[in-house]
């Protein structure tokens, strides 16, 4: 309560407005600010001065940005040292918001922030438009496929009677016999003859 909530609220607004690409005093933006009330509710304020219902009046990209900004600000203020595992954070997000979100997620911590490791679980569609940022910032890659997706999506059969998860060391720019999908040409992936199973 009190000072810590204020610190989370301030950082929440900074991160959220940064991801959506506006400033609190910008006249052309939709949002003026975000804050946390004394009852621990998150309030989103429009440029018109009204309060927006985050569940119904924000688009999905803004909801994801708000969720990420809240979790990030809470972890920073709490000083928690922990991996940050995020499953499909970029679904329904595109363009500049998508790029700013990945930049925020993959930015190394400053000396004032607790150390953290980011683990992103992304689909190939989510990777579109941000592959260069992943190439620049990622320390390790793995591709995970489920054999149940054969033959509709996966090119090769897992040869098992039951669905199984298979992993390979393909980056977001590659595919192999383990992870090759029928839509890989649309994503510009390079096929590797030798799979590198993990």
């Amino acid at each position: 309560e009190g000072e810590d909530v204020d610190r989370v609220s301030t950082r929440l607004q900074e991160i959220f407005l940064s991801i959506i690409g506006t400033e609190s005093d910008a006249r052309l933006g939709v949002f003026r600010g975000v804050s946390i009330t004394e009852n621990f509710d998150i309030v989103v304020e429009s440029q018109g001065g009204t309060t927006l219902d985050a569940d119904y009046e924000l688009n999905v990209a803004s909801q994801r940005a708000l969720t990420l900004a809240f979790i990030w600000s809470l972890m920073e203020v709490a000083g928690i040292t922990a991996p940050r595992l995020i499953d499909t954070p970029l679904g329904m997000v595109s363009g500049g918001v998508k790029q700013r979100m990945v930049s925020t997620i993959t930015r190394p911590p400053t000396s004032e922030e607790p150390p953290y490791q980011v683990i992103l679980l992304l689909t190939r569609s989510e990777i579109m438009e941000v592959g260069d940022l992943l190439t620049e910032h990622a320390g390790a890659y793995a591709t995970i496929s489920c054999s149940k997706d054969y033959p509709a999506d996966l090119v090769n059969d897992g040869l098992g009677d039951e669905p199984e998860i298979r992993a390979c060391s393909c980056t977001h720019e590659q595919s192999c016999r383990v992870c090759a999908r029928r839509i890989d040409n649309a994503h510009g992936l390079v096929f590797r003859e030798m799979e590198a199973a993990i």
Side-chain angles (χ1 to χ4, degrees), residues 11-12 15-16 19 64-74:
R11 190 65 181 124
L12 167 65
I15 295 170
F16 177 70
I19 291 172
R64 287 181 184 260
L66 184 61
T67 301
L68 175 69
F70 174 69
I71 292 169
W72 226 255
S73 61
L74 189 62

Side-chain angles (χ1 to χ4, degrees), residues 80-161:
I80 304 257
T81 300
R84 298 178 183 188
L85 178 68
I86 310 171
D87 186 6
T88 57
L90 304 176
M92 303 296 288
V93 179
S94 64
V97 172
K98 189 179 206 179
Q99 292 177 347
R100 287 186 296 273
M101 191 175 287
V102 171
S103 292
T104 298
I105 290 170
T106 60
R107 176 189 56 80
T110 65
S111 59
E112 293 83 38
E113 297 172 334
Y116 57 83
Q117 175 187 26
V118 177
I119 302 166
L120 298 177
L121 302 176
L122 303 171
T123 65
R124 291 198 170 142
S125 295
E126 286 181 289
I127 291 169
M128 289 175 62
E129 301 176 335
V130 295
D132 57 334
L133 289 171
L134 297 176
T135 299
E136 183 180 339
H137 296 183
Y141 300 94
T143 298
I144 302 169
S145 304
C146 183
S147 63
K148 73 164 182 60
D149 294 334
Y150 174 84
D153 296 318
L154 284 176
V155 174
N156 299 305
D157 188 3
L159 301 176
D161 292 336

Side-chain angles (χ1 to χ4, degrees), residues 142-193:
T143 298
I144 302 169
S145 304
C146 183
S147 63
K148 73 164 182 60
D149 294 334
Y150 174 84
D153 296 318
L154 284 176
V155 174
N156 299 305
D157 188 3
L159 301 176
D161 292 336
E162 298 293 325
E164 62 180 20
I165 302 298
R166 299 178 293 172
C168 61
S169 61
C170 287
T171 71
H172 61 282
E173 299 172 327
Q174 303 168 322
S175 69
C176 68
R177 290 188 305 258
V178 171
C179 68
R181 292 184 166 269
R182 302 199 183 283
I183 61 168
D184 283 350
N185 288 341
H187 294 284
L189 301 184
V190 175
F191 185 78
R192 302 182 309 147
E193 290 295 332

Side-chain angles (χ1 to χ4, degrees), residues 31 51-59 63:
F31 307 107
T51 300
L52 302 174
D53 185 322
D55 292 331
Y56 302 106
E57 297 180 299
L58 297 186
N59 63 28
Q63 288 175 342

Side-chain angles (χ1 to χ4, degrees), residues 15-57:
I15 295 170
F16 177 70
L17 294 179
S18 172
I19 291 172
I20 62 169
T22 193
E23 297 176 16
S24 59
D25 60 355
R27 294 181 183 192
L28 298 177
V30 174
F31 307 107
R32 177 179 291 166
V34 180
S35 61
I36 301 173
T37 69
E38 60 187 29
N39 295 327
F40 309 109
D41 293 323
I42 295 176
V43 175
V44 181
E45 186 180 346
S46 73
Q47 286 294 343
T50 60
T51 300
L52 302 174
D53 185 322
D55 292 331
Y56 302 106
E57 297 180 299

